[in-house]
């Protein structure tokens, strides 16, 4: 099955209206591969602004949301609010949410389920820390994280098709270290096998598994050529003109 290449930009806690406006002008004017789905993850306070300024050929994502539609949850945003801004995606389970803000696998699974039930596409992040890789438990960690995401979905086969799974080894995020193309392919292949065994072959064949962790213009082509690497989740480089080069990695 052909899986459409997917490139997400995670702007994290960066930018203001001026700098993001300039970035969007660059993206809007760029020639990008029409066979690639591109989604930009903006800070929540700028979602409306970004959706209004960014060309319709680009999707927009929130970087987080909560597991219910409304209520007494100060500081949170809901999928309903995200959709009300014309935004159709959300990033959930990023390692910074897990390790800086203490979000559990269970909470991330619940948030994923609610976002999907609300009609948002989800970029669901998984990945091991350096001590876990060195301890030889990469598979154990990423399978457990994926299990909580898949388990929370009642009608798994149909809803999971709206999930993009982002494998981001924590030791490679923002460090300048990148998993080798072979390391990335190995984990992606095993994740696809896990989905085949634990969900269904159809889901395993259709779910896009993208790689994140210091992806740059210099590393994107070889990473993107791997059989089970269906795109990227890009951090720092997504705030630079270089992002266009990464979007066009398959050209």
């Amino acid at each position: 099955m052909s899986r459409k290449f997917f490139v997400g930009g995670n702007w994290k806690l960066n930018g203001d209206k001026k700098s993001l406006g300039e970035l969007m002008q660059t993206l809007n004017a760029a020639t990008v591969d029409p066979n690639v789905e591109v989604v930009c993850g903006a800070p929540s306070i700028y979602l409306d602004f970004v959706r209004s300024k960014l060309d319709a050929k680009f999707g927009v994502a929130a970087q987080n949301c909560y597991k219910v539609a409304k209520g007494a949850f100060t500081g949170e945003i809901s999928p309903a609010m995200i959709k009300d801004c014309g935004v159709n995606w959300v990033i959930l389970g990023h390692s910074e949410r897990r390790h800086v803000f203490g979000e559990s696998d269970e909470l991330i699974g619940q948030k994923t389920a609610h976002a999907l039930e609300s009609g948002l596409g989800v970029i669901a992040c998984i990945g091991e820390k350096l001590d876990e890789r060195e301890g030889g438990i990469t598979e154990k960690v990423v399978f457990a994280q994926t299990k909580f995401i898949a388990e929370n979905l009642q009608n798994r086969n149909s809803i999971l098709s709206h999930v993009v799974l982002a494998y981001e080894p924590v030791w490679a995020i923002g460090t300048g270290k990148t998993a080798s193309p072979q390391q990335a392919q190995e984990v992606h292949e095993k994740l696809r096998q896990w989905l085949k065994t634990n969900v269904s072959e159809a889901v395993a064949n259709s779910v896009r598994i993208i790689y994140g962790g210091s992806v740059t213009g210099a590393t994107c082509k070889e990473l993107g050529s791997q059989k089970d690497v269906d795109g990227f989740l890009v951090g720092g480089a997504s705030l630079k003109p270089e992002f266009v080069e990464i979007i066009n990695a398959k050209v």
Side-chain angles (χ1 to χ4, degrees), residues 199-251:
V199 184
S200 75
E201 187 166 6
V203 165
N205 289 336
S206 63
V207 165
R208 289 172 290 184
I209 306 175
I210 64 176
Y211 171 79
S214 299
V215 176
T216 65
T219 60
C220 64
K221 283 198 181 296
E222 195 180 354
L223 280 164
S225 69
Q226 303 301 306
K227 176 174 171 280
D228 288 293
V229 174
D230 302 315
F232 312 112
L233 185 57
V234 185
S238 69
L239 291 157
K240 303 172 186 174
E242 177 185 8
F243 189 48
V244 174
E245 196 179 332
I246 297 169
I247 293 167
N248 292 330
K250 300 287 271 186
V251 176

Side-chain angles (χ1 to χ4, degrees), residues 97-240:
R97 299 303 314 173
R98 294 177 187 271
H99 303 304
V100 179
F101 298 100
E103 292 189 7
S104 66
D105 289 347
E106 184 179 22
L107 175 61
I108 291 159
Q110 291 166 348
K111 295 204 298 190
T112 301
H114 179 61
L116 289 166
E117 285 157 9
S118 303
L120 285 179
V122 173
I123 301 167
C125 303
I126 57 173
E128 82 285 5
K129 293 186 287 190
L130 183 58
D131 60 326
E132 292 166 337
R133 173 165 279 273
E134 289 177 343
I137 58 169
T138 293
E139 288 170 46
K140 181 182 173 186
V141 170
V142 297
F143 291 168
Q145 292 169 341
T146 307
K147 182 168 178 269
F148 273 96
I149 292 163
E151 246 176 16
N152 276 272
L153 310 178
Q154 287 155 336
N155 185 4
R156 294 191 294 185
N157 286 18
S158 61
I159 299 185
L160 259 175
S161 62
H162 296 99
V163 174
V164 172
L165 208 53
Y167 168 60
E168 295 201 299
V170 180
W171 49 271
I173 297 173
T175 61
K177 294 177 182 173
T178 310
S180 70
Q182 294 74 27
Q183 285 173 318
Q185 167 59 24
E186 182 184 10
V187 176
H188 284 223
E189 186 177 11
K190 287 175 177 169
L191 278 166
R192 208 174 296 287
Q193 188 60 49
W194 186 93
L195 289 168
K196 183 178 177 181
T197 304
N198 294 279
V199 184
S200 75
E201 187 166 6
V203 165
N205 289 336
S206 63
V207 165
R208 289 172 290 184
I209 306 175
I210 64 176
Y211 171 79
S214 299
V215 176
T216 65
T219 60
C220 64
K221 283 198 181 296
E222 195 180 354
L223 280 164
S225 69
Q226 303 301 306
K227 176 174 171 280
D228 288 293
V229 174
D230 302 315
F232 312 112
L233 185 57
V234 185
S238 69
L239 291 157
K240 303 172 186 174

